[in-house]
């Protein structure tokens, strides 16, 4: 049976498919890669969540990684577990952009594996690397700061194959 990616997204969101049905649909449906297409982004996120469930990552393992992050490490194990359960794991390949400077912030991320490079451009258009963030480090939290306009203050990209937890 043929399905459009919109109908696949609806099936995933309704959670009426078995894991094998989901995998079969995902491998047979080309997911559009247009960055501005909200539905394709949702579908990729839903697929990432499904992959997370299939891999049976333990909450305990994530808590160990999250505890490395000073900003939220003081939270109780129960609160961290709740945050992690509501988060989604996803992967970036080398060179993939996580977010772009000036765009509205919509999430904070924790690096599970790999490296995210934070960069901007100077007045002459030359790239300036600000940081390289690795396992356990928080990415993209600056848009939450009191004096922020809610937009990203720099861009971020994967410099290694990277796994992130989207909070």
């Amino acid at each position: 049976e043929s399905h459009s990616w919109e109908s696949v997204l609806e099936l995933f969101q309704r959670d009426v498919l078995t894991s094998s049905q989901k995998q079969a649909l995902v491998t047979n449906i080309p997911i559009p890669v247009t960055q501005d297409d909200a539905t394709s982004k949702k579908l990729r996120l839903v697929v990432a969540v499904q992959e997370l469930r299939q891999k049976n990552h333990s909450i305990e393992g994530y808590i160990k990684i999250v505890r490395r992050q000073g900003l939220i490490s003081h939270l109780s194990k129960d609160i961290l577990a709740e945050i992690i359960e509501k988060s989604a794991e996803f992967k970036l390949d080398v060179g993939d952009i996580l977010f772009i400077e000036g765009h509205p912030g919509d999430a904070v991320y924790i690096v599970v594996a790999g490296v995210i490079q934070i960069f901007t451009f100077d007045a002459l258009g030359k790239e300036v690397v600000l940081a390289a963030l690795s396992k356990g480090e928080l990415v993209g939290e600056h848009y939450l700061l009191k004096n922020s306009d809610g937009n990203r203050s720099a861009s971020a990209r994967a410099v290694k194959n990277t796994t992130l937890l989207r909070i």
Side-chain angles (χ1 to χ4, degrees), residues 19-40:
S19 293
S20 58
Q21 288 172 320
K22 289 177 181 178
Q23 188 61 38
L25 281 171
V26 169
T27 54
N28 292 319
I29 300 290
I31 300 173
V33 293
T34 307
Q35 287 206 352
D36 294 333
D37 187 333
T39 305
S40 64

Side-chain angles (χ1 to χ4, degrees), residues 15-114:
D15 203 24
V16 295
L17 302 172
T18 66
S19 293
S20 58
Q21 288 172 320
K22 289 177 181 178
Q23 188 61 38
L25 281 171
V26 169
T27 54
N28 292 319
I29 300 290
I31 300 173
V33 293
T34 307
Q35 287 206 352
D36 294 333
D37 187 333
T39 305
S40 64
K41 285 181 184 179
K42 287 179 187 175
L43 181 55
R44 285 194 297 274
L45 184 60
V46 168
V47 169
V49 169
Q50 178 60 27
E51 288 174 354
L52 173 64
R53 289 180 181 148
Q54 287 176 348
K55 291 179 183 176
N56 258 343
H57 285 290
S58 74
I59 297 296
E60 291 293 323
Y62 282 120
I63 288 174
K64 288 178 184 175
I65 293 169
V66 171
R67 285 248 185 246
R68 295 178 182 191
Q69 205 330 288
L71 189 62
I72 58 176
S73 64
H74 69 283
L75 297 175
S76 73
K77 185 177 178 180
D78 290 340
I79 291 174
L80 288 174
E82 187 177 336
I83 290 169
I84 291 166
E85 286 173 358
K86 293 179 180 179
S87 300
E89 180 190 85
F90 69 99
K91 298 179 185 305
L92 296 175
D93 294 327
V94 173
D96 284 354
I97 299 295
L98 179 59
F99 52 78
I100 298 171
E101 182 175 358
H103 287 202
D106 64 348
V108 175
Y109 307 88
I110 294 178
V111 179
V112 174

